[in-house]
Amino acid sequence: MSVLFVVALVVLAFVLLFSVVKIVPQGREYTVERFGKYTRTLSPGISLLTPFVERIGRRMNMMEQVLDVPTQEVITKDNAMVKVDGIVFIQVMDAARAAYRVDNLPYAIAQLCMTNLRTVVGSMELDEVLSQRDAINTRLLHVIDAATEPWGVKANRIEIKDLTPPTDITNAMARQMKAERERRAVITEADGEKQAAIARAEGAKQAAILEAEGRREAAFRDAEAREREAEAEARATAMVSEAIARGDVNAINYFVAQKYVEAFAELARSPQQKTVIVPSEMGALVGTLAGVGELVGLAREQQGAARAAPPTPPRPPRARGSVPGTE
């Protein structure tokens, strides 16, 4: 009998110990009720309760929680039906208010998000809904946070997970996107052709400029060559004139022989000329060419003497023949 009494005392002591000593884990808070009335909140750690008077009321999760917002169909401002769902991130800031001011806190917040999501999306057109998710999230967060503040809950973020427009609108959007891509492609191709045309025109311009500069340079070179040729001809004429003035017959023979040879050369190059006429006075022509050779040698000798020493009186001319055709 005494053994059973001891065992009963031990069991009662353990029950009393577990009912009095409470250990609250990190991220949790417990509410304490005395005869069913809230008295205080236990923070993480070890706490003692009054036996048979106090008990644990609600065990509240103080960490940030994620609640899913069920999918629902919403009619936009322009009468388009879209399916919308989302998620909301909440955190309990006051365990007592979250435990005793609202029943089934997750369900209440989910229903609150659904009604406000329908209100916000219904006040916008479809294009705004599809392109302004950040604006929708901001408006929802402001409304939900203000509504959950009396419950001791903080709404940290609200995100729209999915927006699904009707099938016909989706097809129309796909065609619109395709048309927009084709328009951009045409514009890009036109810009490329424009740039290519500009490049070709610029190249033709530079080629024309370079060609004109080349023709100008060639004309300048031709003019310079003709000028030098004219100067040489003038010097030769002056030398021949001086020789004629001194009575040198070879000078006259030179000019006549030069014209004589040029005339026969033109006669040979003429397209209408089928036969080359050779003069019968070949001896006279040979004599004329010999006189030309004497005249060239005399000119070289005079130039050498003029470079080596002061000018000397010219030697008397020597007759080497007669002009062709004068006999």
Side-chain angles (χ1 to χ4, degrees):
M1 187 69 178
S2 60
V3 175
L4 294 177
F5 181 75
V6 172
V7 171
L9 288 179
V10 172
V11 172
L12 181 62
F14 273 102
V15 171
L16 182 63
L17 178 65
F18 280 107
S19 63
V20 172
V21 179
K22 296 296 180 181
I23 299 176
V24 181
Q26 185 67 37
R28 308 279 179 169
E29 288 187 1
Y30 295 168
T31 61
V32 178
E33 297 177 355
R34 178 177 296 175
F35 298 113
K37 181 181 179 180
Y38 168 77
T39 56
R40 58 195 174 94
T41 301
L42 299 182
S43 299
I46 186 169
S47 302
L48 299 177
L49 300 180
T50 303
F52 306 109
V53 177
E54 296 179 338
R55 68 181 182 87
I56 299 298
R58 303 287 179 88
R59 291 172 170 82
M60 302 304 298
N61 185 357
M62 305 302 293
M63 295 180 291
E64 188 173 8
Q65 306 174 52
V66 181
L67 301 180
D68 186 44
V69 180
T71 303
Q72 58 181 330
E73 293 184 350
V74 182
I75 301 176
T76 61
K77 187 177 180 180
D78 52 353
N79 298 323
M81 185 73 69
V82 294
K83 294 181 179 180
V84 186
D85 62 353
I87 52 175
V88 57
F89 297 82
I90 63 171
Q91 185 174 10
V92 176
M93 308 302 294
D94 192 328
R97 289 192 294 175
Y100 299 109
R101 287 197 176 186
V102 61
D103 187 21
N104 197 348
L105 179 64
Y107 177 78
I109 294 178
Q111 294 300 314
L112 184 63
C113 292
M114 290 177 62
T115 55
N116 284 277
L117 182 61
R118 188 180 294 111
T119 302
V120 173
V121 174
S123 64
M124 303 172 65
E125 295 184 355
L126 179 61
D127 291 340
E128 295 176 347
V129 172
L130 296 176
S131 62
Q132 298 183 11
R133 292 194 179 188
D134 292 339
I136 296 175
N137 296 336
T138 302
R139 292 177 60 181
L140 284 174
L141 180 61
H142 178 73
V143 174
I144 301 301
D145 188 37
T148 57
E149 194 275 334
W151 300 343
V153 177
K154 173 69 175 176
N156 294 327
R157 293 184 304 277
I158 296 180
E159 299 291 340
I160 301 297
K161 287 198 303 182
D162 192 16
L163 284 170
T164 307
T167 305
D168 54 346
I169 295 179
T170 303
N171 295 333
M173 292 171 59
R175 291 194 301 270
Q176 180 183 3
M177 180 183 65
K178 181 179 179 181
E180 179 67 19
R181 293 292 187 273
E182 291 178 353
R183 183 183 68 85
R184 293 182 181 178
V186 171
I187 293 176
T188 303
E189 184 178 359
D191 289 340
E193 293 178 355
K194 175 183 176 182
Q195 296 297 329
I198 292 175
R200 287 193 296 269
E202 186 68 23
K205 175 184 175 182
Q206 294 295 331
I209 292 175
L210 294 176
E211 185 179 358
E213 291 181 353
R215 290 196 302 269
R216 185 184 66 177
E217 184 68 20
F220 176 77
R221 297 297 183 183
D222 291 342
E224 185 177 3
R226 288 193 300 269
E227 181 181 358
R228 293 179 180 272
E229 184 179 358
E231 291 178 356
E233 187 70 22
R235 286 196 298 269
T237 305
M239 293 176 62
V240 172
S241 299
E242 292 178 359
I244 293 174
R246 292 193 301 268
D248 193 350
V249 183
N250 291 329
I252 300 176
N253 293 337
Y254 168 75
F255 271 102
V256 174
Q258 183 180 10
K259 297 300 181 181
Y260 195 71
V261 173
E262 290 177 358
F264 269 96
E266 292 294 333
L267 184 62
R269 285 195 299 264
S270 177
Q272 304 298 328
Q273 185 66 29
K274 301 291 176 71
T275 305
V276 178
I277 301 174
V278 180
S280 59
E281 299 86 354
M282 293 300 295
L285 180 59
V286 173
T288 303
L289 294 177
V292 171
E294 290 291 336
L295 182 60
V296 172
L298 178 61
R300 289 180 179 177
E301 183 179 349
Q302 290 177 356
Q303 288 180 357
R307 292 175 184 175
T312 57
R315 293 178 296 177
R318 294 175 296 176
R320 293 292 182 180
S322 60
V323 179
T326 56
E327 295 179 359

